[in-house]
Amino acid sequence: MATVDSVPNCRLDQMILREGMEVVMQGVWPSPGFDLFRCAGLIPRKRLRGGFEHPTWIPDQSVFWHPWERMLAFAAGGAKPPKAAEGSVPEGNRIHADIVIIGGGSVGVAEARAAAETMSVSVVLVTQGTLSETLPKNVIVYPLHRVFALYNGGRLVAAAPIDPREPALLIDADHVVLATGARSTPPVVRGAALPGVLDAGLAMQLALDHGVAAGARVAVIGTSRRHDVTEQLETMGVHVVGSFDVAAVASIQGRGHVTGIETGDRSVPCDAVVHAGPWRPDPSLPFQASWSGELRLTAGEVPDNVRVAGWASEAPEPVSFGARDQPDAHAFVCPCMDVTVEEVLTLVARGTVHVEEIKRLTGCGMGPCQGVPCWDLLAAVVGWATGKPTGTVGHPTYRPPRAALTFGQAAGLIDATEVAP
Amino acid sequence: MSATESANIVIVGGGIQGLLLAFNLADRGQKDIVVLDAGYWQGGASGRNGTLVRGGFSSTEWTRFFEHSVDQWRGLSRRLGHNVMYTRRGYAIVAESERSSAVLDTALQTHRECGVSSERLSRPRMAQVLPAADQTRIVDMIHLADGGTAPHHAAMKGALTACRKKGVDLRYGTEVTDFERQNGRISAVVCGDTRIDADLVVIAAGAHSADLATKAGVVLDAQPFRIEAMASEPVRPMIGPAVALIDRLTYVHQTARGEIVGGSELAGESAKRNIISTEYVMPRYARHMVDMFPGIARMRILRQWGGMLHPAPDGGPLLGAHPDLESLWFSAGWTYGIAGAPGAADLLAKAIVTGEIDERMRPFAVDRFRRGKPVMEASAVIDNASVG
């Protein structure tokens, strides 16, 4: 994470370098070269349950508490708040479409073509990438946009461009097709949160769009559906040292960055690991289209106006614990909030088995990724520890925005929305 | 009925009100206290609120009551044996119109009468207290030094831990399906197949309190009301105190982990009961925030969520025994629930155990509307037109 051109919390691995870019590293103090925050690594893991904000680390209400809180706020905040800038509230748009297709992969494109065959139908396709092929004229494409919510039972699609200077978009949709594909879920093994571990989607994007290999020696791990990824990476010139079944991976090795993987009875040196499976669809948008409840929001049947297509409609592959028959205590469930398997197991052993309670006690899933994929890992670990089938453990609520949008983009939607009476 | 149990006091609702009341009752020597909750721990408003705490309002009734609660907040960590992270970071009430400034006049007068530490800020002090704010929009500002925030995860954990230590029987995921009455008094609480005979029942079930009252055969003057809040990505300290923008029905603060958390109530929206996120609250809250804190326009919103208040027609809490059914008590009608919880728990426990109704609690009696005695309060961030 870094502050880029005075905008905080930018992921450097997802930004294209530009001439004159001003980059300030975050999460280091006082400087990247001499970083006192690294001392936190010396603290035993057990003392960090619940993070620095929970009672092990906060003095009881006393004179020490307030200075400690200020210090926490400074450290946790990470980056300076941005300064006001001109034009940071782009005025949003609201349009209508008979069919909205979310996802610009092969399934999304095929769905758009099929829908556009009826010439009188208005079709909109929203994709976070760009399309290389031309679609029929009655398909309006919004590239580089992320759908951040399905409101009102899926009848209102909300999207925001990745570029925060561009306006957000609301689409009243008669029908929605979710062609959001499936994404690879990291295994619950130690080392899976090290820098150098990438999901297949990101590795392919780096290679395809930017001609950058994930590493000099890349190990691919995954389910039986990993081979396409391996082949494609090799075709694009990435040096793949091996393709391994994730169920045989005992750990990912390294300190500070990946140096190898331990699989079967051997250790394979590499400097990057690409995980390609287990593949699981992103649960957020179907959840929002079907949620109900007052005591707790739960997913129901996706309503008739929403259809899930392609990979997104297939059953998720089970979360992998690697070569172990139980989750590795030292593996992360949620790397953003430093939640380990050990911490979750400790809570379960004390009787806290509700995923919403675990979320509130640990902060699991409350970082920038908002629970994707870590709530799947959480459900798998809780399911294992309680002996319940994973599907019955449930997830915390997948709230909007699925992808972050700026206050400016949100504020720009004021004239496009009405307060329901 | 497959099982019959008995308890001295049954509290329906395991939120901050129910837990702190159970703790206070146990602390006063009461035994056999059972807390029932249909949901999960922190699943209701106690896990969804804005965490703001203040004592100073514009009416003497609200100010006396909430100032007592602020006093209780200060000593709460020590009493519970667990840091509830209550921080006296101050509370700024911001007026952006002459009309609101007049509300602050009344408020200051009230604060002086009630001995609340509050300060009307000069221009340079305003810029010191809220440097990130657009100073040209601010007409007037009051700063309450003792106000602040109490993060619900810490407060609820403290309350839960302390209740367990005191031997309170806590049951989440346990829905009350019925009440039994005998000779004009409530006699038992029914949860599916289980009946719990009780000497006294307190309903502290947030937005579900009125439904439960109906089940018990009495009427409670309050209705569920959905509001939404949002959290930003974390940044270094930008907004120091808790802030109420009273002209905008907007409240906000920055947490110890750097997120800016707040929400806006929408004037004219009618009462709704659900916790689903909508498309129309986020833009309005974002607009208010961008207007007042222009730098925030380039920061990102990480999540939005909904929760339910339970406002009575005047927005104040409903505290005490119900006049129509003996032994049935309420701690309901909450809009400033996290601020008022320790005070309400203290005064209710005192009333239940000693029979003495404290003067600070008396104005909030459950039957005040039928007696024609609502408590009017102008500086709360509540749209009285839409709740009334």
Side-chain angles (χ1 to χ4, degrees):
Chain A
M1 293 275 199
T3 300
V4 177
D5 293 335
S6 81
V7 174
N9 304 324
C10 297
R11 282 186 60 169
L12 285 182
D13 60 350
Q14 294 187 2
M15 294 196 93
I16 298 166
L17 200 65
R18 284 190 322 268
E19 185 87 29
M21 215 176 198
E22 190 191 288
V23 180
V24 181
M25 288 309 293
Q26 286 179 204
V28 292
W29 185 79
S31 72
F34 178 72
D35 178 18
L36 289 178
F37 285 169
R38 274 172 190 268
C39 300
L42 300 173
I43 300 165
R45 211 176 281 273
K46 278 191 182 168
R47 309 296 297 170
L48 280 178
R49 283 184 194 138
F52 283 99
E53 212 192 340
H54 279 274
T56 318
W57 282 94
I58 49 176
D60 207 350
Q61 199 96 343
S62 69
V63 284
F64 299 114
W65 160 231
H66 291 113
W68 176 253
E69 194 206 15
R70 272 198 288 276
M71 205 168 75
L72 271 186
F74 178 82
K80 278 188 200 159
K83 293 218 160 41
E86 286 295 308
S88 46
V89 181
E91 186 153 349
N93 299 309
R94 185 162 183 162
I95 59 172
H96 171 270
D98 294 318
I99 302 175
V100 176
I101 290 143
I102 303 169
S106 57
V107 175
V109 167
E111 288 282 346
R113 285 191 195 287
E117 271 173 22
T118 314
M119 287 309 288
S120 58
V121 170
S122 59
V123 183
V124 168
L125 186 147
V126 187
T127 172
Q128 56 182 347
T130 50
L131 292 188
S132 49
E133 51 200 306
T134 340
L135 288 177
K137 270 197 296 232
N138 55 333
V139 179
I140 304 170
V141 179
Y142 284 91
L144 302 172
H145 276 59
R146 291 194 183 116
V147 171
F148 68 81
L150 287 183
Y151 292 115
N152 197 11
R155 285 179 291 275
L156 184 63
V157 179
I162 294 168
D163 183 343
R165 292 164 300 186
E166 298 294 321
L169 171 71
L170 293 176
I171 313 167
D172 292 293
D174 293 342
H175 298 277
V176 171
V177 179
L178 289 174
T180 44
R183 43 189 288 157
S184 175
T185 307
V188 185
V189 298
R190 69 184 70 188
L194 281 171
V197 180
L198 285 78
D199 77 72
L202 185 56
M204 302 272 272
Q205 194 195 350
L206 281 176
L208 209 60
D209 296 350
H210 308 299
V212 177
R217 287 165 304 154
V218 175
V220 177
I221 61 173
T223 56
S224 58
R225 280 155 58 182
R226 70 185 179 276
H227 302 298
D228 280 358
V229 173
T230 312
E231 263 173 44
Q232 289 190 44
L233 287 175
E234 282 179 326
T235 313
M236 290 182 283
V238 177
H239 176 45
V240 178
V241 294
S243 160
F244 307 95
D245 186 351
V246 67
V249 174
S251 72
I252 297 171
Q253 297 158 323
R255 271 177 80 92
H257 63 93
V258 172
T259 56
I261 60 170
E262 196 189 342
T263 174
D265 48 8
R266 68 201 177 107
S267 182
V268 180
C270 60
D271 64 356
V273 173
V274 171
H275 58 85
W279 297 91
R280 300 175 66 88
D282 186 324
S284 308
L285 297 179
F287 189 98
Q288 289 169 21
S290 68
W291 63 10
S292 63
E294 274 180 42
L295 290 172
R296 184 187 180 203
L297 291 176
T298 47
E301 286 289 310
V302 175
D304 287 345
N305 52 310
V306 178
R307 187 162 57 82
V308 188
W311 290 105
S313 66
E314 298 206 2
E317 292 182 339
V319 169
S320 173
F321 297 150
R324 296 162 190 259
D325 48 14
Q326 60 183 65
D328 182 349
H330 295 286
F332 278 105
V333 171
C334 169
C336 301
M337 303 302 274
D338 288 338
V339 182
T340 59
V341 168
E342 191 256 2
E343 190 177 345
V344 173
L345 293 180
T346 308
L347 285 173
V348 172
R350 288 187 195 151
T352 306
V353 295
H354 201 298
V355 286
E356 292 275 12
E357 295 183 5
I358 296 174
K359 170 189 152 188
R360 283 162 173 77
L361 285 168
T362 60
C364 179
M366 290 167 85
C369 324
Q370 290 295 299
V372 180
C374 56
W375 287 341
D376 278 346
L377 309 189
L378 176 66
V381 172
V382 172
W384 176 85
T386 55
K388 281 189 191 170
T390 306
T392 65
V393 172
H395 296 99
T397 307
Y398 288 103
R399 290 276 178 193
R402 165 64 191 91
L405 75 163
T406 64
F407 276 84
Q409 285 172 321
L413 287 172
I414 201 159
D415 291 334
T417 56
E418 267 175 53
V419 178
Chain B
M1 209 64 50
S2 65
T4 300
E5 302 174 16
S6 73
N8 176 15
I9 298 169
V10 172
I11 298 171
V12 186
I16 193 76
Q17 310 296 343
L19 290 181
L20 287 182
L21 177 59
F23 169 78
N24 275 275
L25 287 166
D27 205 37
R28 285 175 177 271
Q30 296 295 302
K31 305 270 180 242
D32 298 326
I33 303 166
V34 179
V35 176
L36 305 170
D37 193 301
Y40 57 93
W41 177 67
Q42 285 201 57
S46 298
R48 301 176 181 277
N49 60 78
T51 80
L52 307 194
V53 177
R54 65 158 147 153
F57 286 85
S58 70
S59 62
T60 49
E61 293 91 340
W62 277 58
T63 302
R64 289 219 165 93
F65 174 78
F66 282 97
E67 187 61 11
H68 174 61
S69 202
V70 168
D71 273 349
Q72 294 287 314
W73 267 116
R74 281 198 228 163
L76 198 60
S77 294
R78 204 158 293 128
R79 285 187 69 207
L80 299 178
H82 187 104
N83 192 342
V84 294
M85 293 175 69
Y86 171 56
T87 95
R88 287 160 67 197
R89 54 174 65 186
Y91 195 116
I93 307 177
V94 178
E96 296 170 70
S97 65
E98 292 304 328
R99 191 177 143 263
S100 304
S101 177
V103 172
L104 298 194
D105 283 337
T106 322
L108 272 170
Q109 183 76 29
T110 307
H111 298 170
R112 223 162 285 141
E113 280 168 28
C114 301
V116 174
S117 145
S118 80
E119 178 195 359
R120 183 172 233 157
L121 301 186
S122 62
R123 282 276 152 203
R125 279 282 289 143
M126 287 180 193
Q128 236 172 19
V129 168
L130 283 181
D134 178 352
Q135 303 296 324
T136 61
R137 290 181 182 272
I138 302 176
V139 171
D140 200 354
M141 200 196 295
I142 286 184
H143 186 254
L144 299 161
D146 290 333
T149 64
H152 42 70
H153 61 85
M156 285 292 284
K157 193 167 179 209
L160 183 85
T161 316
C163 280
R164 285 206 177 121
K165 245 187 253 166
K166 290 270 182 200
V168 175
D169 182 353
L170 302 170
R171 303 183 198 175
Y172 286 89
T174 308
E175 189 180 349
V176 171
T177 49
D178 204 1
F179 295 93
E180 287 182 10
R181 306 159 60 122
Q182 227 168 32
N183 309 326
R185 60 181 296 147
I186 200 155
S187 58
V189 176
V190 181
C191 304
D193 289 343
T194 308
R195 184 176 74 211
I196 307 171
D197 291 331
D199 297 332
L200 190 134
V201 174
V202 185
I203 294 178
H208 301 272
S209 300
D211 288 353
L212 286 160
T214 308
K215 270 186 188 154
V218 297
V219 174
L220 193 70
D221 296 308
Q223 57 181 331
F225 193 95
R226 183 187 61 90
I227 58 169
E228 287 180 50
M230 271 137 273
S232 78
E233 62 186 339
V235 286
R236 293 230 161 110
M238 169 179 175
I239 300 176
V243 180
L245 306 173
I246 50 176
D247 297 80
R248 301 173 182 272
L249 299 174
T250 294
Y251 49 89
V252 64
H253 79 288
Q254 188 168 10
T255 69
R257 53 183 175 213
E259 299 163 327
I260 292 171
V261 175
S264 293
E265 203 211 311
L266 304 181
E269 192 188 15
S270 57
K272 288 189 189 68
R273 52 183 311 159
N274 68 59
I275 52 172
I276 289 172
S277 309
T278 66
E279 80 282 9
Y280 53 83
V281 181
M282 186 160 68
R284 282 160 182 81
Y285 167 69
R287 181 80 245 180
H288 289 316
M289 290 300 288
V290 170
D291 284 350
M292 186 49 84
F293 302 101
I296 208 169
R298 295 202 288 171
M299 278 171 60
R300 284 169 287 218
I301 299 174
L302 282 194
R303 64 183 171 278
Q304 58 172 144
W305 65 92
M308 277 189 285
L309 305 172
H310 191 228
D314 60 4
L318 297 162
L319 300 173
H322 198 285
D324 298 340
L325 187 57
E326 206 179 312
S327 301
L328 179 63
W329 289 59
F330 284 90
S331 172
W334 285 106
T335 52
Y336 277 74
I338 201 97
D346 173 55
L347 301 181
L348 275 170
K350 181 171 151 196
I352 289 169
V353 175
T354 68
E356 187 196 328
I357 310 290
D358 192 281
E359 285 311 312
R360 290 164 293 195
M361 183 179 118
R362 193 183 296 277
F364 300 105
V366 173
D367 62 352
R368 65 181 181 270
F369 304 103
R370 114 170 44 153
R371 288 187 283 111
K373 291 254 168 83
V375 184
M376 298 323 288
E377 166 57 47
S379 81
V381 184
I382 309 164
D383 178 29
N384 287 80
S386 60
V387 302

